[in-house]
Amino acid sequence: MYVSNMYHNHRFIDQDSSKKSIIPCTPLGIVKVLEYIGVYNTVLPFGNRLYGRVIAVINRSEVVGRPLAALLANDGAMVYSVDINNIERFTRGTGLKWHMHKVEKTDATLEDIIPLCDVVITGVPTKAYKLPTALLRDGVNAINFSAFKNFEDTVTEKASIYVPSVGKVTIAMLERNLLRLYDYFHNFSEATK
């Protein structure tokens, strides 16, 4: 249920909209980092707060990369999801006309998309991968969620904000999810007595 809700942009698990969906910890942690550094536009309504943003997620794993791309696209961003084989575009369409994101294949290359991006998020699980700083646009927000540093040492020459790790935020989101599930279980148990 939770995975389906995330991909289909259902933010609550109940009819009353009182119980929020559970989101995977690292993607949720990255969303919280983006909110904190001001990438989300708080003037816009929920679900549209990334409208106009172009974001690259370099990792399409089922654990972090794909859920993160879906979350960001469902919040209004145009997201380029990059993996070793190709680049896909996650979007809600022109003017956010769709309720949930759709995935489109592209022929774009990393060199085509990275200079367009307001935010670049990397999570390549190898020491050997380094995203060239020369591809980044000035003022980009650069976030790394890999255990390895995926940006070159010169990343701060282009990035207005560089977040080298999100591990502690991931742990905080795990605790948040556990507390939320505990609360849901015990409130449900009390209601059925």
Side-chain angles (χ1 to χ4, degrees):
M1 167 177 52
Y2 293 114
V3 173
S4 175
N5 282 356
M6 178 185 60
Y7 285 116
H8 292 96
N9 203 15
H10 297 275
R11 294 171 188 256
F12 297 91
I13 61 171
D14 62 342
Q15 296 286 341
D16 301 330
S17 296
S18 63
K19 293 182 178 179
K20 290 185 176 182
S21 289
I22 303 299
I23 305 295
C25 302
T26 301
L28 180 58
I30 293 168
V31 166
K32 294 301 177 184
V33 167
L34 292 172
E35 287 175 348
Y36 181 78
I37 64 176
V39 173
Y40 275 74
N41 182 346
T42 58
V43 174
L44 295 173
F46 285 105
N48 295 340
R49 291 184 170 185
L50 288 178
Y51 182 67
R53 300 285 190 191
V54 180
I55 300 173
V57 178
I58 304 175
N59 173 303
R60 199 176 314 132
S61 69
E62 293 298 326
V63 176
V64 181
R66 186 178 299 276
L68 177 60
L71 288 171
L72 299 174
N74 283 338
D75 280 342
M78 178 187 299
V79 181
Y80 289 100
S81 176
V82 180
D83 76 0
I84 197 165
N85 298 317
N86 62 15
I87 298 175
E88 296 178 346
R89 183 175 34 248
F90 286 54
T91 180
R92 283 184 38 213
T94 305
L96 303 179
K97 65 182 176 186
W98 303 316
H99 171 70
M100 60 175 257
H101 76 281
K102 295 196 184 316
V103 180
E104 306 164 342
K105 302 279 186 199
T106 72
D107 292 327
T109 65
L110 204 60
E111 292 77 15
D112 295 333
I113 64 159
I114 295 299
L116 305 174
C117 293
D118 304 300
V119 179
V120 177
I121 303 167
T122 61
V124 181
T126 179
K127 271 186 184 179
Y129 184 81
K130 299 287 185 204
L131 182 70
T133 301
L135 292 179
L136 298 172
R137 72 186 243 182
D138 288 331
V140 71
N141 294 297
I143 300 173
N144 181 68
F145 69 83
S146 174
F148 303 102
K149 189 174 168 188
N150 290 160
F151 290 96
E152 293 178 332
D153 291 336
T154 57
V155 65
T156 55
E157 293 174 9
K158 293 273 190 110
S160 60
I161 296 177
Y162 171 54
V163 179
S165 173
V166 296
K168 291 180 180 176
V169 183
T170 295
I171 293 168
M173 295 304 102
L174 171 63
E175 292 170 349
R176 174 188 173 173
N177 282 348
L178 288 171
L179 290 171
R180 187 166 279 166
L181 288 168
Y182 178 87
D183 183 53
Y184 291 174
F185 177 77
H186 288 285
N187 284 338
F188 176 75
S189 296
E190 291 298 318
T192 58
K193 284 185 179 179

